[in-house]
Amino acid sequence: MEVVILADAKEIGGVAADAIGALLTRKPAAVLGLATGSSPLAIYDELAARCDAGLISFRQARGFTLDEYVGLTADHPQRYRTVIDEVFVSRVDFVPGAVEGPDGLASDIPAACAAYENAIRASGGVDLQILGIGTDGHIAFNEPGSSLASRTRIKTLTRQTRMDNARFFGGEVESVPTHCLTQGLGTIMEARHVILVATGRNKAEAAHQLLEGAVSALWPATILQHHPHATVLLDDAAARRLQLVDYYRETYRAKPEWQGI
Ligand code: F6R
């Protein structure tokens, strides 16, 4: 995995947007994997600014979100489908219907999950997947104990994740849904390039485990150690527990700028 340690979320947003811009230049009909939550917000801000400035276009691109809460109605402000529209999709020039997400209101959940897997496959697969990481090491909502080969399915959220996300639900942990539909670790591993973002002190242990721990279902993100093209973008606070921090910094400093991530 490539590890890039930057000063703050804004710099991270710039580096990730450069990679997405290069992809769209090379392949205008690229398929993007989109995460919700706080971590990718600076990336979406930067992409929206570049789209406004005419530097980048999503007109031919498609997108798939990672996950969705089960049972949040269409008008709920924290439904991930609504959130991603607000923070990203509506701010750039995707054509209507170009971004899909798992259906958290489906009456037949296994069928909805299978349909989502089929839709991703039929699109040709995800070219670039944006990821955050939970403090418990989840990616998408693959909580500790998830099968490392899992596909899109229903999962129970951990108490820790519900506490972490209570900030989006007026601080009320009991208002955070207990279940979600999530792409599996096996699904995510098929993306051609994965960019994971972690910022802040509360992500330092998860970042350390992700990069330097043993591959284990206890820290589901560690499966990315097996990914052939995974890039981890951290700020200084999230990098503070890394054993090889000097090596990562030196390696990135020595990299020619034209190479990108
Ligand atoms: C969201 C998602 C989650 C978040 C993770 C970190 O679609 O898949 O894995 O990326 O919970 O959330 P933030 O970025 O809010 O700290």
Side-chain angles (χ1 to χ4, degrees):
M1 275 190 280
E2 180 175 26
V3 185
V4 181
I5 303 165
L6 297 162
D8 54 27
K10 191 164 169 45
E11 270 193 29
I12 289 175
V15 168
D18 287 348
I20 294 164
L23 169 65
L24 289 168
T25 301
R26 206 166 62 237
K27 185 177 180 184
V31 179
L32 300 174
L34 304 174
T36 41
S38 322
S39 304
L41 291 179
I43 303 177
Y44 297 148
D45 287 346
E46 184 60 29
L47 291 173
R50 291 185 193 193
C51 191
D52 267 352
L55 301 171
I56 198 171
S57 172
F58 297 85
R59 243 187 312 274
Q60 295 181 54
R62 298 189 57 184
F64 290 93
T65 59
L66 281 172
D67 39 24
E68 183 59 274
Y69 291 116
V70 169
L72 291 190
T73 51
D75 59 353
H76 196 289
Q78 288 309 321
R79 183 175 165 249
Y80 275 174
R81 179 67 237 195
T82 306
V83 172
I84 199 73
D85 279 345
E86 198 175 294
V87 300
F88 181 48
V89 177
S90 66
R91 300 170 68 198
V92 296
D93 58 349
F94 277 115
V95 298
V99 175
E100 298 176 49
D103 181 2
L105 292 171
S107 51
D108 184 342
I109 285 180
C113 293
Y116 199 57
E117 287 277 332
N118 287 339
I120 295 173
R121 205 168 298 123
S123 75
V126 171
D127 291 298
L128 189 153
Q129 175 67 57
I130 300 168
L131 293 175
I133 185 169
T135 56
D136 64 1
H138 70 227
I139 50 174
F141 276 139
N142 293 283
E143 297 285 30
S146 289
S147 156
L148 298 180
S150 49
R151 313 300 307 191
T152 303
R153 68 212 182 291
I154 189 166
K155 281 296 285 182
T156 304
L157 295 170
T158 60
R159 183 86 189 160
Q160 180 64 53
T161 296
R162 294 177 68 227
M163 287 186 325
D164 289 344
N165 287 4
R167 70 191 192 281
F168 299 116
F169 290 80
E172 292 291 327
V173 67
E174 297 311 329
S175 302
V176 183
T178 52
H179 291 82
C180 62
L181 302 189
T182 179
Q183 285 189 32
L185 294 169
T187 319
I188 293 167
M189 286 293 285
E190 285 171 6
R192 295 178 188 97
H193 183 193
V194 170
I195 297 181
L196 184 146
V197 176
T199 57
R201 291 172 71 86
N202 65 336
K203 297 293 173 72
E205 175 65 13
H208 165 61
Q209 293 292 340
L210 157 68
L211 293 164
E212 298 172 336
V215 175
S216 154
L218 265 188
W219 290 93
T222 55
I223 189 63
L224 295 176
Q225 292 178 25
H226 284 292
H227 196 287
H229 190 187
T231 308
V232 177
L233 304 179
L234 305 172
D235 68 359
D236 292 320
R240 80 197 161 97
R241 292 222 39 213
L242 298 181
Q243 199 176 320
L244 303 180
V245 66
D246 294 337
Y247 173 70
Y248 304 137
R249 286 188 197 278
E250 187 187 315
T251 305
Y252 186 64
R253 254 198 315 268
K255 192 174 176 184
E257 209 172 303
W258 54 264
Q259 220 173 332
I261 54 173

